[in-house]
Amino acid sequence: MQVHLTRHHPTVKADSERKPLKRTLEQRTLGSFSHYAFNSERHKLITRQIAMFIARDLRPFSTVENDSFVELLRVLEPKYNVPGRTYFTGKVVPELYKECKMEVENGLRKAITTDGWTSRATESYITVTCHYISDDWKLVNNFLQTNAIYESHTGANVGEILSDAVKEWKLERSEPVICVTDNAANMTVAVKEARLKHVKCFAHTINLASQKGLKVDTVCRVLSKVRRIVGFFHRSSTATALLREKQKMLQLPEHKLIQDVCTRWNSSFDMIHRFLEQQPAILAVLISKMHFVCARNICSK
């Protein structure tokens, strides 16, 4: 009978096979409607991992409501319903913060570091960090808090922020609390106002001493000329393209020139080191016909 149906009645055979397949698919579809309970362990675990993903990767809370993200989770775990962003902002992430803060508080040592900085939007902030070696000899770096500063960066204002940070992280129980800062005058006053033990940054002290050495007339003139030449290549895309051609021709490493930063003495060293490495290619470009006039003006200054 099966052979007869296959040869002479293929449509009957297809219909007879399609019905049980449809019943099977319907059964699977019905099973997929049973979602995890909101308070089940599986639902809590997935929700927690999503919150960790948002916190660690600095993702916006709106990610959980993006269609692609919801579709991804539906494929990976059809029984999971993604909570809205308000659930993450009001419950899950604050709970993670409390757990993380408690863990950090238990391991904190009696030394903090702080420094002020400005964002690309020209907004001023001050960050308090803590760095120490744990009991199992591992370097631990904790960023405790970042506060916006809308007032003047006076020692009194910064000192108030430091005092609040020490109290919030319960560091006053360990005396004395050490605070590492740069050599700025307002930081010296701030640490004194907060009644902390002041230790000035060794690297910043070296930078100040090195900057004074770099201001010697002969050194200053050399650095000034190198900065002008490096700046010329950074401003001219044509000169940069020619530099790459000369590097290939002279079989030099295809490295970009480095512009130093006045606040980092070692950047001046890196600039000179890279300039000497690429000096044959630089000279080849500067003496070329296309840039002869520009090079002459730069070098004559």
Side-chain angles (χ1 to χ4, degrees):
M1 180 63 70
Q2 184 68 31
V3 174
H4 176 77
L5 289 175
T6 302
R7 290 180 178 179
H8 303 286
H9 307 282
T11 57
V12 175
K13 177 190 175 216
D15 291 338
S16 63
E17 290 183 350
R18 191 179 299 114
K19 290 180 181 179
L21 179 61
K22 184 177 181 181
R23 287 196 298 270
T24 304
L25 291 175
E26 288 177 352
Q27 291 175 358
R28 292 178 181 176
T29 305
L30 290 174
S32 64
F33 281 107
S34 57
H35 295 97
Y36 293 123
F38 204 71
N39 58 349
S40 65
E41 293 300 323
R42 179 63 176 170
H43 192 281
K44 290 180 179 178
L45 177 61
I46 298 176
T47 303
R48 178 184 173 86
Q49 290 304 120
I50 295 175
M52 295 288 287
F53 160 72
I54 293 174
R56 287 178 174 174
D57 292 353
L58 301 178
R59 301 294 180 181
F61 288 105
S62 59
T63 301
V64 298
E65 296 179 354
N66 291 345
D67 294 338
S68 299
F69 184 78
V70 174
E71 185 65 26
L72 173 64
L73 290 178
R74 185 180 293 119
V75 172
L76 295 176
E77 185 53 90
K79 296 183 179 181
Y80 176 76
N81 277 332
V82 187
R85 73 171 79 181
T86 55
Y87 184 74
F88 285 94
T89 58
K91 181 176 176 60
V92 186
V93 173
E95 289 179 354
L96 282 179
Y97 173 77
K98 291 180 181 178
E99 294 177 11
C100 182
K101 184 178 180 181
M102 186 177 300
E103 182 180 349
V104 171
E105 285 179 350
N106 294 333
L108 279 180
R109 301 298 188 266
K110 57 181 181 179
I112 60 175
T113 61
T114 186
D115 195 10
W117 55 281
T118 304
S119 68
R120 293 182 177 179
T122 64
E123 296 173 339
S124 296
Y125 297 91
I126 184 169
T127 298
V128 180
T129 62
C130 184
H131 312 276
Y132 60 91
I133 298 177
S134 62
D135 295 334
D136 53 352
W137 292 94
K138 292 183 179 179
L139 180 62
V140 181
N141 303 301
N142 291 320
F143 292 82
L144 304 184
Q145 62 188 54
T146 296
N147 299 79
I149 301 182
Y150 303 104
E151 305 86 5
S152 178
H153 293 195
T154 61
N157 292 334
V158 177
E160 184 178 354
I161 295 176
L162 293 179
S163 298
D164 294 340
V166 170
K167 293 178 182 178
E168 180 179 353
W169 293 93
K170 301 177 182 178
L171 292 172
E172 68 273 7
R173 60 192 177 189
S174 58
E175 295 291 344
V177 178
I178 301 172
C179 184
V180 181
T181 71
D182 57 19
N183 292 267
N186 64 328
M187 286 298 180
T188 302
V189 176
V191 174
K192 185 177 180 180
E193 290 284 336
R195 297 181 180 179
L196 307 177
K197 185 176 180 180
H198 195 195
V199 175
K200 296 183 178 181
C201 177
F202 182 68
H204 189 256
T205 303
I206 293 179
N207 181 69
L208 293 178
S210 301
Q211 291 295 338
K212 287 187 178 180
L214 295 178
K215 290 180 181 179
V216 175
D217 291 340
T218 53
V219 177
C220 187
R221 283 197 296 269
V222 172
L223 288 176
S224 179
K225 289 184 178 181
V226 173
R227 289 190 188 107
R228 287 194 182 97
I229 295 175
V230 173
F232 167 70
F233 281 94
H234 283 186
R235 291 189 303 269
S236 175
S237 58
T238 305
T240 302
L242 281 175
L243 180 64
R244 285 196 294 266
E245 292 180 6
K246 300 300 182 181
Q247 288 172 338
K248 294 179 181 178
M249 184 184 303
L250 298 171
Q251 297 182 350
L252 293 173
E254 296 184 27
H255 295 157
K256 294 182 179 180
L257 300 182
I258 299 174
Q259 185 77 59
D260 66 339
V261 182
C262 61
T263 56
R264 302 188 188 96
W265 72 270
N266 54 329
S267 66
S268 298
F269 171 80
D270 294 336
M271 180 183 69
I272 295 295
H273 184 271
R274 181 61 55 80
F275 184 87
L276 293 176
E277 175 193 82
Q278 299 295 330
Q279 188 174 13
I282 294 171
L283 292 176
V285 173
L286 293 179
I287 63 177
S288 64
K289 293 182 179 180
M290 293 181 60
H291 296 278
F292 177 77
V293 176
C294 295
R296 183 178 58 185
N297 293 335
I298 292 172
C299 296
S300 63
K301 294 181 179 179

